[in-house]
Amino acid sequence: VEPLLCPASASEAGAALPDGPVALGFAEADMATGRRVCARTEVGFGGRLGAIIDTPAFYGDIAGGAVLFASYALQPKLELFATLEPATFTFTQNATLKQTQLAFGNLTAGATRGLYQTERFAGALSGRVLLPTSFEVPNSRVVGLEVGHASKWVASSWLRVHTYLGADVTTGLGAGPALTRAGGTLLAGAELLPTSWFALVVDVTGHLGGTSSYLAPTAALRFRASQLGIELGGTLPVAGTDRHDLIAGLRLSWMI
């Protein structure tokens, strides 16, 4: 069955498969991960785990957390969305110290508005704000803003291509230094769909500025069972200042 560019409901063939870029990144919540073009109503939860193992520098960091996310198609071309980290965990060790932290995490909220659409190609403007909810940084609450353009091309019944170009800025509020940082994200990816219930996604993301710079490939397996979507992915930087050895995540979504 030829896939629709933007399925109108969960009853369409393959509609509940996760869509757009893999939602797995290096920053707060879903900042700098791109965004899909098509509006949908869904709720979901998942988890994320990242590791930095730097043996020569006697440093290690294991960080993870739970993720809740939801979106609402207010109109066929207008989506409201939010992502919350209700709990984050960090274990850090260097040559002399160990530290464990459990904290409430980040909350982002945003909207995507379709700008243009043909039978096989569409583009949208997306924006999100990072709200000062996280207790991960002592004496500081991080806030931020991101805007970007997303596109989607249905090349054939088995291939979709997506892109995202965005700019972001974050700063700290509180007694500590503000440490205002600005950055930019460029993402390109392809999704192979041999069936309506399975897809393989490969993204390449470049980010400059912000808390770190990196060039990172990402791969994910996506599955669908009725209205349930499953995404299992992993990413790692191959260039830049980011020190992660691996970030992996699992997301379950229910399309309404």
Side-chain angles (χ1 to χ4, degrees), residues 87-184:
T88 63
F89 171 82
T90 304
F91 172 76
T92 304
Q93 180 176 357
N94 59 24
T96 58
L97 298 175
K98 292 183 181 180
Q99 180 179 350
T100 301
Q101 180 188 62
L102 181 64
F104 192 83
N106 298 282
L107 169 65
T108 62
T112 299
R113 179 69 171 88
L115 298 178
Y116 53 87
Q117 182 173 326
T118 65
E119 184 178 350
R120 290 180 175 269
F121 186 75
L125 179 66
S126 183
R128 58 169 65 89
V129 293
L130 173 64
L131 300 171
T133 62
S134 175
F135 288 84
E136 295 174 293
V137 181
N139 302 317
S140 180
R141 299 291 175 264
V142 180
V143 297
L145 172 68
E146 180 182 8
V147 293
H149 175 272
S151 73
K152 177 182 179 180
W153 175 40
V154 178
S156 70
S157 61
W158 54 271
L159 176 63
R160 300 174 186 163
V161 177
H162 50 256
T163 66
Y164 178 81
L165 176 63
D168 58 85
V169 61
T170 60
T171 190
L173 305 176
L179 299 177
T180 301
R181 300 181 177 94

